[in-house]
C-alpha cells in the first residue's frame, strides 16, 4: 500500500514533488492570501487533490518557478480492485456506459462556471465601487453626488467583503462556545475582514471624510486590475485602453499598499481630532484604533503599517523627549495596549 500523502499529489517529478509536499505552506503568510484569492470554495478545498493542485501552483509561483504544474483532469483515477477473473473485469468495463466521462466532467464544469460567475459578479461590483468612489472623491463633482458616491462605495465594499467572508467561512457548524470562538478567530484573521470592518464602520457614521475613500479605491483598483489581466487579455478594448494602467497597478502593488496604509493611519489621527468637533464619536474612534491595531498585527497589512509607524516614531520621539517629557508615561501605556 502506497503512502496516502503522496497519492494525493498530482503526478510530478519525484524530488521536486517531495520538496513541494514537504514545504510548510501554513507558515508562509503568502499562502493564506493566495488561497483566499483563488476563490476555491471550502467544500472543494477539502478535496486532497484540489488542495494539492493549488499548493503546486503556489509552489511554482513563489518558491520554485521550474517546478512543473500539471492541469487537473476532470475525471478521477481509481485503483483497480482485485478480481476473481479476467472475464469479470471485461464484463464490468463493457457494462460501463460510454458517456461516463461526460457525466463525471459535468459537475466539475458546472462548478467552474459557478466560480467564474461569482468572480464576474465580484469584479462587476468592484468596478462599480471604483467608479462611484472616484466620483465621491472628485473635488469638482456636485456635493450631493460626492456624498452619494461616498456612501455607495462604502456600502458596495461592505457587501462584497461580507459576502466573501460568508461564502468562504459560512457559519459555525457547532453551536458551542469553542466552535464559535474558533470560527471567529478564522474570520478575523482573514484578508477580507479588515476592509469589511473598515467600510462597515464608516458607512454607518455621520462623518464625511474623503480620506476614507482612499483605501476603498486601492482595494477596488487591485481587484479590478487583477481580474482584467487574468480574463481580458484577448480583448482589443483591454489591450488598447486598459492594459497599460493594469500593468502599472500590478507593477506598483507595494506603492498602492503603502498609500492605503498611510491613509488608514492618518485617518486614525483625524478621528482623534474630530473628538473636538460637534460630530465627535468616541466609540467610533476607539473601534477604529482597535482596527488599526489589528492592521498592525495582521500578516496581510503588518509589513506596511509597521514600516510607517517606525518612521513616525523616529520622527516624533526626539521632539517628545525634548519638549514634552511628561507624555512618556501615557505613550508607554498606549504602547503596552498596542502590542498586547
Amino acid at each position: 500500500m502506497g503512502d496516502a500523502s503522496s497519492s494525493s499529489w498530482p503526478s510530478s517529478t519525484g524530488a521536486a514533488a517531495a520538496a513541494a509536499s514537504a514545504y510548510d505552506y501554513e507558515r508562509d503568510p503568502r499562502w493564506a492570501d493566495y488561497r483566499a484569492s483563488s476563490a476555491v470554495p471550502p467544500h472543494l478545498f477539502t478535496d486532497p487533490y484540489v488542495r494539492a493542485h493549488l499548493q503546486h501552483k503556489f509552489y511554482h509561483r513563489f518558491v520554485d518557478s521550474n517546478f512543473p504544474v500539471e492541469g487537473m483532469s476532470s475525471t478521477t483515477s481509481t485503483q483497480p480492485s482485485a478480481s476473481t477473473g479476467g472475464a469479470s473485469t471485461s464484463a464490468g468495463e463493457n457494462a460501463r456506459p460510454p458517456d461516463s466521462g461526460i457525466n463525471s466532467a459535468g459537475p466539475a464544469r458546472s462548478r467552474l462556471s459557478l466560480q467564474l460567475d461569482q468572480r464576474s459578479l465580484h469584479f462587476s461590483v468592484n468596478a462599480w465601487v471604483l467608479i462611484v468612489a472616484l466620483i465621491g472623491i472628485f473635488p469638482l463633482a456636485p456635493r450631493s453626488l460626492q456624498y452619494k458616491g461616498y456612501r455607495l462605495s462604502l456600502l458596495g465594499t461592505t457587501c462584497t467583503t461580507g459576502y466573501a467572508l460568508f461564502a468562504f467561512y459560512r457559519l459555525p457548524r457547532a453551536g458551542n462556545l469553542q466552535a464559535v470562538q474558533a470560527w471567529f478567530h478564522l474570520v478575523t484573521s482573514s484578508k477580507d475582514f479588515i476592509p469589511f470592518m473598515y467600510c462597515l464602520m464608516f458607512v454607518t457614521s455621520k462623518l464625511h471624510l474623503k480620506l476614507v475613500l482612499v483605501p476603498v479605491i486601492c482595494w477596488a483598483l487591485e481587484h479590478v486590475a487583477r481580474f482584467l489581466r487574468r480574463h481580458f487579455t484577448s480583448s482589443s478594448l483591454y489591450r488598447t485602453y486598459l492594459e497599460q494602467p493594469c500593468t502599472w497597478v500590478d507593477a506598483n502593488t507595494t506603492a498602492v499598499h503603502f498609500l492605503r496604509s498611510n491613509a488608514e493611519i492618518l485617518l486614525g489621527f483625524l478621528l482623534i481630532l474630530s473628538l473636538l468637533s460637534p460630530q465627535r464619536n468616541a466609540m467610533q474612534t476607539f473601534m477604529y484604533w482597535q482596527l488599526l491595531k489589528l492592521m498592525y498585527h495582521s500578516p496581510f497589512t503588518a509589513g506596511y503599517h509597521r514600516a510607517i509607524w517606525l518612521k513616525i516614531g523616529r520622527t516624533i520621539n526626539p521632539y517628545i523627549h525634548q519638549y514634552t517629557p511628561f507624555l512618556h508615561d501615557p505613550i508607554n501605556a498606549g504602547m503596552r495596549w498596542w502590542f498586547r
Side-chain angles (χ1 to χ4, degrees):
M1 182 179 295
D3 188 5
S5 61
S6 61
S7 63
S8 63
W9 286 84
S11 60
S12 183
T13 57
S21 61
Y23 187 77
D24 193 352
Y25 295 90
E26 300 301 331
R27 290 193 176 183
D28 194 328
R30 299 170 298 182
W31 167 245
D33 189 11
Y34 183 80
R35 175 184 169 183
S37 62
S38 65
V40 177
H43 67 279
L44 289 181
F45 192 75
T46 55
D47 187 348
Y49 190 80
V50 175
R51 181 184 179 90
H53 181 72
L54 191 63
Q55 289 177 343
H56 266 183
K57 293 175 65 178
F58 175 86
Y59 192 83
H60 169 77
R61 180 175 180 181
F62 295 103
V63 181
D64 185 5
S65 59
N66 296 323
F67 181 73
V69 179
E70 300 178 359
M72 292 183 62
S73 60
S74 59
T75 58
T76 57
S77 60
T78 57
Q79 297 291 339
S81 59
S83 59
T84 57
S88 61
T89 304
S90 60
E93 292 177 353
N94 294 331
R96 184 178 301 166
D99 58 345
S100 60
I102 300 177
N103 293 335
S104 60
R109 190 178 298 110
S110 63
R111 287 195 298 266
L112 179 60
S113 62
L114 180 60
Q115 291 179 20
L116 289 177
D117 290 341
Q118 291 177 350
R119 293 177 184 177
S120 301
L121 179 61
H122 195 256
F123 160 74
S124 302
V125 177
N126 276 295
W128 173 76
V129 166
L130 179 60
I131 294 173
V132 295
L134 290 175
I135 294 175
I137 206 173
F138 189 60
L140 300 181
R143 183 175 296 272
S144 60
L145 193 60
Q146 290 181 11
Y147 184 78
K148 290 180 180 179
Y150 176 87
R151 293 294 178 186
L152 289 176
S153 59
L154 291 173
L155 182 61
T157 308
T158 304
C159 293
T160 54
T161 52
Y163 174 77
L165 289 173
F166 176 76
F168 195 81
Y169 295 101
R170 299 292 177 179
L171 294 176
R173 296 182 178 180
N176 54 19
L177 182 60
Q178 292 181 350
V180 173
Q181 288 178 345
W183 172 82
F184 185 74
H185 177 72
L186 289 175
V187 172
T188 54
S189 60
S190 64
K191 183 180 180 180
D192 290 318
F193 180 76
I194 290 177
F196 172 74
M197 288 302 302
Y198 177 91
C199 294
L200 182 64
M201 193 176 302
F202 286 103
V203 77
T204 57
S205 173
K206 296 180 180 180
L207 285 176
H208 182 196
L209 301 173
K210 290 186 178 181
L211 186 63
V212 174
L213 295 182
V214 174
V216 176
I217 292 174
C218 292
W219 287 319
L221 190 63
E222 286 186 73
H223 283 92
V224 170
R226 188 186 306 118
F227 188 89
L228 289 175
R229 283 177 59 85
R230 289 181 180 178
H231 301 283
F232 284 86
T233 53
S234 59
S235 172
S236 59
L237 179 64
Y238 168 80
R239 292 196 302 267
T240 305
Y241 300 103
L242 300 175
E243 184 175 12
Q244 187 173 358
C246 292
T247 304
W248 184 90
V249 172
D250 186 65
N252 296 274
T253 304
T254 302
V256 174
H257 287 178
F258 270 111
L259 173 63
R260 186 186 70 199
S261 301
N262 276 287
E264 291 164 349
I265 294 174
L266 179 58
L267 188 59
F269 290 104
L270 288 180
L271 287 177
I272 293 178
L273 294 178
S274 70
L275 295 177
L276 304 176
S277 69
Q279 295 180 336
R280 57 182 174 270
N281 191 333
M283 181 59 68
Q284 181 189 12
T285 304
F286 176 74
M287 291 177 61
Y288 185 78
W289 277 90
Q290 286 280 0
L291 186 62
L292 280 180
K293 179 182 176 182
L294 178 62
M295 293 177 184
Y296 185 87
H297 295 282
S298 173
F300 303 108
T301 55
Y304 309 102
H305 276 254
R306 291 180 181 181
I308 296 172
W309 280 112
L310 182 62
K311 186 176 180 180
I312 292 175
R314 289 176 177 175
T315 305
I316 295 179
N317 282 337
Y319 296 98
I320 294 177
H321 288 301
Q322 185 175 359
Y323 299 106
T324 56
F326 60 89
L327 292 178
H328 286 170
D329 292 339
I331 291 177
N332 290 334
M335 291 179 64
R336 285 194 297 270
W337 167 79
W338 187 264
F339 292 108
R340 186 170 56 193

